[in-house]
Amino acid sequence: MIARRSTGAATATGRPPNRRRVPLTAYLFVLPAVVFLAATVLYPLVFNIDLSFRDAGLRQIVTGDADFVGLDNYAEELANPDFRSALAISLIYTVLSVGVSFACGLGLAVFLNKTFPGRNLMRSLLLIAWVLPTVVSANIWRWILDGTYGLLNTVLGGLGLLDKGVFWLVEPTSALISVVTATVWSTAPFAMILLLAGLQSIPETLYEAARIDGAGPWQRFSRITVPMLRPVSMTVLLLLFVTTFKTFDTIYLMTRGGPGDATTILPIHAYLEAFQFFRFGTGAAATTVMLLIPLALSLFYFRSLRREEAS
Amino acid sequence: MSRSGMRDLGRLSAVALLAGALVAGCGSGGEEAQEPGGVTTLSLWHFYGPPESATGGALVRFLQRYEQAHPGVKVEPRHIPFGDFNRTILQSAAGGELPDIALIGATSTQAMAEAGIIEDLSDRVAKWGKQDAYLPSIWQTTQVGGKTYALPHVADTYAVYYNTELLDEAGVKPPKTWDEMAETARKLTSGDRQGLAVSGVEGEEGATALVIRILAAGGDVTKIDSPAANKALTQFKQLVDSGAMSKGIIGWNEEDVKNQFANGRAAMMINSATYVSTLRKENPDLKWKIALLPGDTRQVTFLAAENLAITSGSSHPDAAWDLMTWMQDPKALAEYLPDRNKLATRDDVPADGDEARSVFAEQLKSAWAPSGALAEHSSEVFTHVQGALQAAISGSATVDQALAEAQQKIDKTLAE
């Protein structure tokens, strides 16, 4: 801390004469990026938040004269059982997906961190799941899980585990498990790649020293790998949470949020409100809530990151 | 083309553009803005598909025929996928970038008229005087608050497709009543083959079959906590429980249902006329025919139609109206409809003699479409109807509970 403060003081006193000019050109250089971000990120964001405080139906969207109604849309959504159910399902879906995806990703990373023949091929194959467009993967899953001609039923039937076709996407519980599985299938390789990079940055000498001290494989994993991977793990968990929480396409293509509202997550609820039923105000309120949750998590993450750096 | 030729062409087009701008500047006093060379360009947005698709191609060819007959007009169709269509129209309306003509789902007409996106055509229609040629249930979709906001374009409806080989094998005929339908479907069920397939997928698409069944029982879609709707849903539930209808219907859209029928896993299906030519093309060996829907206390089908409307952002409303009326000319329609695989909305279009399509045309006469408050909220109400189907079929609620719960949601929607 002391060292950092002293370098700060040095630059403050020894300010070069042309220091004022440098930031100006620097600002000019970043200006296009700032304008671009303001137009494509900031403006829609502010527009959406503004809309969430207005009574905006179809006509108001066209004429642009929606009345300000304060927190009415939020109150309406919070009282709406569909919204509460969507929020709960979103959280269940995200926590399940992130948890399983992280565990699978970590397992695969530890496995692929060892050298064995065919390692690179396997790593590339795993990444295909992540690279594959959602439209393709979601439809493949739909086909695998179909009750009449699905691959899963055929395989389970062939093994003698099933005697009657199961409609995986028609039962509420199995539909939720199915969309979690499809999500994990595509996000686990992403977690694997980041965790693998983290693993490779752990110095081999630590393991050697532990081995000499008589630590077994489990101790080496829990006492060295896990703590050394902590920063990377935090990043991976946050990224997984943010991307999973805003998932729309996988679930919409597989179940459209059904059966009933078993897989109607917050993004699907917001989409239906705004673009199916034309209630833009409450739709915008739902998306604002959708924005707040990952935002709160990110703030928590950056805070803990700063604390870690400080110590 | 040589490089210098390209350069000359570039120079020429620059001059032409400049000249065009001058002409446009001079002619701005007129009502209808004209583009260079006296050519009016009309933009038309639709969701039928890209020009290379069968459905989108038919529309493009139709519009080209108009252009050939009207050298002063150029029509620029733009395809927007169905799922994005209403949203794109709305955003364009908010941004003042609307096309001249929008080809919209008939059920969206009311919402768009009330939002001021499409123009009142009542005066033009009165002068035109052809409104009596239309089937009343179809013409009614163009009416909002006693005014006409659109012209019908094409219609589609639902009837029963049946596999003639499978029905002959089982020694049964297409059913005339819903009781017979249940009986016939059970007789046609064996192994992994189901008697009847319908779409029951999440959302409004999956409500169609149950809506048809409720209407047949004499019920009202806005009052589904009723004996008629109870009878309808109970029968669907029994069909699924007996295996005559698959539990998978809850996940199947109309395309999936067509596939079940096409590969012989369903002996009958309730589906739209859209699949007549698809089945002929993709499954030439499949033997099938069309039958009218079974009746109960009455025999009703569900109307799926599209309307043409002039938007409030059009700078060529007169030219747009001319194109729209040409597109409704019986002779032009007689050529277009078989190509587009749709049904005529008016009774003076010469029949094309196709057997399957003639049954659909007959079925269309008993078509029902939502009106009034239901028309405005049809998407949401049908979503609740599908919710009742889903709850009863999956067993998460009894038929009584499912209908009572859906009724609460429908009441709430209609009270808004």
Side-chain angles (χ1 to χ4, degrees):
Chain A
M1 280 308 272
I2 293 160
R4 202 178 283 168
R5 200 170 285 155
S6 68
T7 49
T11 43
T13 46
R15 179 187 281 174
N18 61 346
R19 185 150 176 195
R20 278 183 68 89
R21 279 188 60 109
V22 180
L24 187 66
T25 40
Y27 283 134
L28 280 176
F29 275 122
V30 297
L31 190 66
V34 170
V35 169
F36 180 78
L37 280 177
T40 60
V41 179
L42 205 62
Y43 176 72
L45 214 63
V46 171
F47 182 84
N48 184 68
I49 292 170
D50 176 62
L51 197 62
S52 73
F53 294 116
R54 290 174 189 278
D55 175 26
L58 201 54
R59 177 191 290 274
Q60 289 79 11
I61 278 289
V62 174
T63 54
D65 58 358
D67 291 333
F68 185 83
V69 291
L71 289 167
D72 280 10
N73 289 327
Y74 291 90
E76 201 177 307
E77 277 293 82
L78 285 174
N80 182 354
D82 289 348
F83 170 81
R84 289 204 298 249
S85 145
L87 182 62
I89 288 169
S90 255
L91 290 173
I92 295 170
Y93 160 76
T94 309
V95 169
L96 270 179
S97 300
V98 170
V100 178
S101 181
F102 182 80
C104 291
L106 185 60
L108 286 169
V110 170
F111 180 60
L112 288 170
N113 198 26
K114 301 192 172 69
T115 40
F116 59 89
R119 181 179 80 141
N120 288 341
L121 179 72
M122 200 170 154
R123 199 166 49 186
S124 316
L125 281 177
L126 278 169
L127 269 183
I128 290 180
W130 180 58
V131 178
L132 212 60
T134 324
V135 192
V136 179
S137 60
N139 277 309
I140 291 175
W141 278 105
R142 242 190 116 211
W143 172 69
I144 291 175
L145 298 167
D146 188 275
T148 51
Y149 52 79
L151 187 68
L152 184 64
N153 281 347
T154 313
V155 170
L156 291 178
L159 291 170
L161 296 169
L162 269 186
D163 54 350
K164 211 167 126 250
V166 174
F167 291 91
W168 302 99
L169 295 174
V170 170
E171 307 289 345
T173 315
S174 65
L176 186 60
I177 295 172
S178 298
V179 294
V180 167
T181 310
T183 309
V184 168
W185 183 75
S186 63
T187 53
F190 169 68
M192 180 268 286
I193 277 294
L194 292 183
L195 290 169
L196 190 58
L199 280 179
Q200 282 167 351
S201 69
I202 301 176
E204 190 53 35
T205 49
L206 286 179
Y207 290 104
E208 275 167 25
R211 213 172 286 136
I212 291 165
D213 289 341
W218 173 248
Q219 277 177 315
R220 290 202 297 274
F221 178 76
S222 60
R223 299 288 168 84
I224 300 174
T225 313
V226 171
M228 290 300 282
L229 264 186
R230 224 180 90 89
V232 181
S233 301
M234 292 278 285
T235 315
V236 171
L237 284 171
L238 183 77
L239 285 173
L240 280 179
F241 189 94
V242 171
T243 48
T244 311
F245 194 73
K246 63 177 190 178
T247 303
F248 175 80
D249 40 7
T250 307
I251 296 189
Y252 195 74
L253 288 167
M254 282 177 72
T255 65
R256 295 200 196 174
D261 49 13
T263 56
T264 302
I265 46 166
L266 214 42
I268 292 183
H269 169 77
Y271 171 81
L272 289 178
E273 278 292 311
F275 296 120
Q276 200 75 29
F277 308 146
F278 301 130
R279 289 191 291 255
F280 295 95
T282 44
T287 46
T288 307
V289 173
M290 217 162 81
L291 179 78
L292 288 176
I293 292 170
L295 197 70
L297 263 178
S298 307
L299 287 178
F300 170 76
Y301 164 76
F302 283 120
R303 236 220 192 131
S304 64
L305 202 68
R306 216 178 304 143
R307 208 179 304 135
E308 202 149 298
E309 266 175 14
S311 62
Chain B
M1 190 184 281
S2 72
R3 188 166 288 186
S4 68
M6 282 291 267
R7 207 181 301 133
D8 288 346
L9 195 71
R11 225 172 273 158
L12 201 69
S13 48
V15 173
L17 266 177
L18 199 68
L22 283 172
V23 171
C26 297
S28 62
E31 266 277 282
E32 300 253 307
Q34 289 243 316
E35 269 117 87
V39 174
T40 306
T41 304
L42 288 175
S43 51
L44 183 150
W45 291 1
H46 64 96
F47 50 75
Y48 280 178
E52 61 275 13
S53 68
T55 47
L59 179 67
V60 169
R61 286 189 288 278
F62 191 34
L63 296 172
Q64 279 166 353
R65 283 202 286 281
Y66 178 82
E67 285 179 332
Q68 278 157 15
H70 303 78
V73 182
K74 206 175 152 349
V75 187
E76 283 180 351
R78 179 184 161 201
H79 166 241
I80 298 160
F82 180 71
D84 288 333
F85 193 81
N86 281 354
R87 181 176 59 80
T88 310
I89 289 270
L90 276 177
Q91 284 170 341
S92 309
E97 304 275 330
L98 283 167
D100 294 296
I101 302 174
L103 205 168
I104 57 180
T107 47
S108 309
T109 311
Q110 181 159 356
M112 289 197 187
E114 281 171 359
I117 296 171
I118 55 178
E119 292 281 278
D120 178 8
L121 304 176
S122 305
D123 293 345
R124 293 181 192 270
V125 169
K127 249 181 263 167
W128 185 53
K130 301 283 165 57
Q131 59 272 35
D132 294 334
Y134 291 88
L135 296 174
S137 63
I138 293 174
W139 186 254
Q140 168 226 308
T141 66
T142 67
Q143 303 294 304
V144 181
K147 291 177 181 160
T148 308
Y149 278 88
L151 283 189
H153 178 54
V154 294
D156 199 348
T157 198
Y158 294 78
V160 181
Y161 287 71
Y162 64 97
N163 185 317
T164 50
E165 284 179 336
L166 293 176
L167 265 76
D168 287 347
E169 228 172 77
V172 289
K173 287 195 159 56
K176 294 261 188 281
T177 66
W178 272 98
D179 286 342
E180 278 178 40
M181 171 58 102
E183 184 71 23
T184 312
R186 267 179 217 123
K187 281 185 188 155
L188 287 163
T189 306
S190 73
D192 57 2
R193 189 182 74 215
Q194 55 206 299
L196 174 67
V198 301
S199 164
V201 73
E202 187 75 19
E204 57 176 319
E205 180 179 347
T208 308
L210 185 59
V211 167
I212 286 173
R213 181 65 191 92
I214 291 172
L215 293 171
D220 177 342
V221 183
T222 57
K223 295 188 179 63
I224 68 166
D225 197 6
S226 64
N230 201 300
K231 187 179 173 189
L233 186 55
T234 304
Q235 189 182 36
F236 273 24
K237 168 94 176 136
Q238 285 165 351
L239 279 167
V240 171
D241 289 346
S242 70
M245 218 153 67
S246 165
K247 203 171 189 176
I249 60 163
I250 290 178
W252 292 340
N253 58 32
E254 287 172 3
E255 182 86 14
D256 296 325
V257 170
K258 183 268 292 176
N259 291 335
Q260 294 283 327
F261 183 76
N263 59 32
R265 284 179 179 275
M268 297 183 285
M269 69 166 174
I270 294 177
N271 221 331
S272 74
T274 308
Y275 297 109
V276 167
S277 59
T278 319
L279 280 171
R280 282 181 186 151
K281 207 157 134 196
E282 292 174 2
N283 305 79
D285 297 332
L286 193 75
K287 302 270 185 295
W288 53 271
K289 281 186 176 170
I290 306 294
L292 295 177
L293 281 168
D296 192 353
T297 47
R298 53 185 184 145
Q299 198 262 23
V300 197
T301 189
F302 188 85
L303 175 73
E306 280 109 39
N307 290 338
L308 286 167
I310 299 178
T311 74
S312 53
S314 173
S315 41
H316 314 288
D318 292 339
W321 175 254
D322 189 66
L323 170 63
M324 277 161 54
T325 49
W326 182 88
M327 287 170 86
Q328 280 301 300
D329 179 67
K331 263 183 270 163
L333 277 174
E335 205 176 336
Y336 169 62
L337 291 170
D339 194 19
R340 178 63 187 85
N341 211 17
K342 289 278 180 184
L343 308 168
T345 54
R346 47 196 285 174
D347 58 13
D348 52 0
V349 179
D352 56 21
D354 182 288
E355 196 192 329
R357 292 169 50 78
S358 70
V359 182
F360 270 111
E362 178 64 28
Q363 182 76 72
L364 189 63
K365 289 178 186 159
S366 64
W368 170 92
S371 57
L374 179 58
E376 197 184 338
H377 297 289
S378 62
S379 174
E380 203 171 346
V381 170
F382 291 156
T383 302
H384 299 323
V385 173
Q386 190 278 339
L389 176 71
Q390 184 280 326
I393 300 285
S394 74
S396 69
T398 65
V399 169
D400 291 347
Q401 289 165 344
L403 290 173
E405 196 182 319
Q407 184 67 57
Q408 275 181 3
K409 291 185 178 173
I410 291 172
D411 289 343
K412 191 169 160 259
T413 300
L414 292 177
E416 269 171 25

